Amino acid sequence: MDLKKEIREIQDYPKEGINFKDITTLINNPEALNFVIDSVVDKFKGKGITKVVGLEARGFICGGAIAGKLDAGFVPVRKKNKLPAEVISETYELEYGTDKVEMHIDAINENDVVLIHDDLLATGGSALAALHLLKQQGVKQIYFSFIIDLEFIDTPKKEEIYKYENQILVKYS
Amino acid sequence: MDLKKEIREIQDYPKEGINFKDITTLINNPEALNFVIDSVVDKFKGKGITKVVGLEARGFICGGAIAGKLDAGFVPVRKKNKLPAEVISETYELEYGTDKVEMHIDAINENDVVLIHDDLLATGGSALAALHLLKQQGVKQIYFSFIIDLEFIDTPKKEEIYKYENQILVKYS
């Protein structure tokens, strides 16, 4: 299936010069939605994944489905002050300023085998912050899944992520 | 399966006197996660659902999985200024002030059969706003799915929602 045809491109969003990749058209099509979910499940089903980490908010949409089909738990990594129980946190840099992501401290332990899922890999900032949350917990086996990689954005953070076994379904070069 | 045992209660969160219902422990357990997804799918699989609307952010987690298994598209209803293309919006009241939810204008049309899903029904404010978004689009066949209903909160908004065929998996009275 040609997933790229299912992704809407929006010029000058969120600001001039950016050609935004909108996955809402993809997930609106049941065939494309299931193609994404099943592609990730097929790739990782032999790995013994025990937890799927989804990044807020778009990483939740397929992340929950992938977790269910892999018979793994789903763990949300959220923006600051959104999770109700005790958390660990990681600060990461934005273009201007910083942001913070959090995970419940009891959501994952060092023996878990974890798949980190998000819809889009751009600079790698939030995905690397999620990786660091797992490192804080002592997790040793980590995989990555992204629907889209904006390959034309090349950063040291992404090089860190590429060192892990991963799956990317659509690339923009 | 006794789902209530899988839900963590957190006293005095987000403020004193509130006993918060935390579903992150439920979705962390693959058996409970799949029990929720499959319960919703079993209830609605004969209804001809074409779109599942999930409310940001926790409604995305099971919403995407339910959409996939019902062979329906997934439509995110998001907080204001999060969706990239043309939207319709609904303002609703909070305890103090108002909030706004948005949906892509081309995500749903009047012939769709729609299941609105969220994790928790409290005052009904955001779920009713989602219903009004669908009414704006002329949708006629609408169902609701919630994991939890805080039944002890009784509002006119919830009475509107209860008029539609719905499924609630866990009730706190």
Side-chain angles (χ1 to χ4, degrees):
Chain A
M1 183 171 199
D2 186 356
L3 285 180
K4 204 175 266 191
K5 284 187 185 162
E6 304 295 329
I7 296 165
R8 172 162 53 187
E9 301 195 14
I10 301 177
Q11 291 295 339
D12 298 320
Y13 181 89
K15 59 182 185 180
E16 214 178 313
I18 305 275
N19 181 7
F20 187 81
K21 308 298 182 280
D22 175 21
I23 63 148
T24 68
T25 43
L26 185 162
I27 59 180
N28 198 289
N29 173 352
E31 197 188 341
L33 172 65
N34 277 319
F35 184 86
V36 167
I37 294 165
D38 291 339
S39 296
V40 182
V41 170
D42 285 349
K43 162 79 179 172
F44 293 103
K45 68 186 169 193
K47 305 291 187 184
I49 306 285
T50 57
K51 298 283 163 67
V52 174
V53 164
L55 274 58
E56 183 173 6
R58 288 190 300 261
F60 291 3
I61 298 169
C62 291
I66 293 162
K69 287 198 163 186
L70 287 174
D71 276 317
F74 180 77
V75 177
V77 163
R78 301 204 64 174
K79 311 287 166 63
K80 63 186 170 200
N81 302 327
K82 298 269 193 166
L83 288 168
E86 189 185 351
V87 297
I88 56 172
S89 65
E90 276 285 332
T91 300
Y92 65 101
E93 288 171 28
L94 298 173
E95 196 177 358
Y96 303 100
T98 62
D99 212 340
K100 195 186 267 191
V101 288
E102 298 181 335
M103 184 175 78
H104 276 148
I105 193 164
D106 61 0
I108 281 179
N109 68 54
E110 61 182 5
N111 297 316
D112 278 310
V113 180
V114 182
L115 175 63
I116 299 174
H117 170 78
D118 203 3
D119 66 323
L120 181 85
L121 181 60
T123 68
S126 53
L128 193 66
L131 176 67
H132 289 161
L133 288 172
L134 298 180
K135 294 285 188 184
Q136 281 193 48
Q137 295 299 86
V139 179
K140 288 171 285 291
Q141 287 184 270
I142 300 168
Y143 302 91
F144 282 97
S145 148
F146 302 98
I147 302 175
I148 297 168
D149 183 7
L150 305 180
E151 283 191 311
F152 55 86
I153 303 176
D154 190 14
T155 67
K157 287 174 183 173
K158 288 175 84 166
E159 296 305 320
E160 282 302 305
I161 290 163
Y162 291 145
K163 289 176 185 168
Y164 292 79
E165 190 173 338
N166 64 75
Q167 183 190 47
I168 291 157
L169 297 173
V170 182
K171 297 177 180 183
Y172 292 89
S173 54
Chain B
M1 184 171 198
D2 186 356
L3 285 179
K4 205 174 266 191
K5 284 187 185 163
E6 305 295 328
I7 296 165
R8 172 162 53 187
E9 302 194 15
I10 302 177
Q11 290 295 338
D12 298 320
Y13 180 90
K15 59 183 185 181
E16 213 177 314
I18 305 276
N19 181 7
F20 187 81
K21 308 298 183 280
D22 176 20
I23 63 148
T24 67
T25 44
L26 185 161
I27 59 179
N28 198 288
N29 174 351
E31 196 187 341
L33 173 65
N34 278 319
F35 184 86
V36 167
I37 294 166
D38 291 339
S39 295
V40 183
V41 170
D42 286 349
K43 163 80 179 169
F44 294 102
K45 67 187 170 195
K47 305 290 186 185
I49 306 285
T50 58
K51 299 284 161 67
V52 175
V53 164
L55 274 59
E56 183 171 7
R58 288 191 300 262
F60 291 3
I61 297 168
C62 292
I66 293 162
K69 286 197 164 188
L70 288 173
D71 276 317
F74 180 77
V75 177
V77 164
R78 300 203 65 175
K79 311 286 167 63
K80 63 187 170 197
N81 302 326
K82 297 269 193 166
L83 288 168
E86 189 185 352
V87 297
I88 55 172
S89 65
E90 276 284 331
T91 299
Y92 64 102
E93 288 170 29
L94 299 173
E95 196 178 355
Y96 304 100
T98 62
D99 212 342
K100 194 187 267 191
V101 288
E102 298 181 333
M103 183 176 79
H104 276 147
I105 194 165
D106 60 0
I108 280 178
N109 68 54
E110 61 182 4
N111 297 316
D112 278 310
V113 180
V114 182
L115 175 63
I116 299 174
H117 170 78
D118 203 2
D119 66 325
L120 181 85
L121 182 60
T123 67
S126 53
L128 193 66
L131 176 67
H132 290 162
L133 288 172
L134 298 180
K135 294 284 188 186
Q136 281 193 49
Q137 296 300 86
V139 179
K140 287 171 285 290
Q141 287 185 270
I142 300 168
Y143 302 90
F144 282 97
S145 148
F146 301 98
I147 302 174
I148 297 169
D149 182 8
L150 305 181
E151 284 191 309
F152 56 86
I153 302 176
D154 190 14
T155 68
K157 288 174 183 174
K158 289 176 84 166
E159 296 305 320
E160 282 302 306
I161 290 163
Y162 292 145
K163 289 177 185 168
Y164 292 80
E165 190 173 338
N166 64 75
Q167 183 190 47
I168 291 157
L169 297 173
V170 183
K171 297 177 181 184
Y172 292 89
S173 54

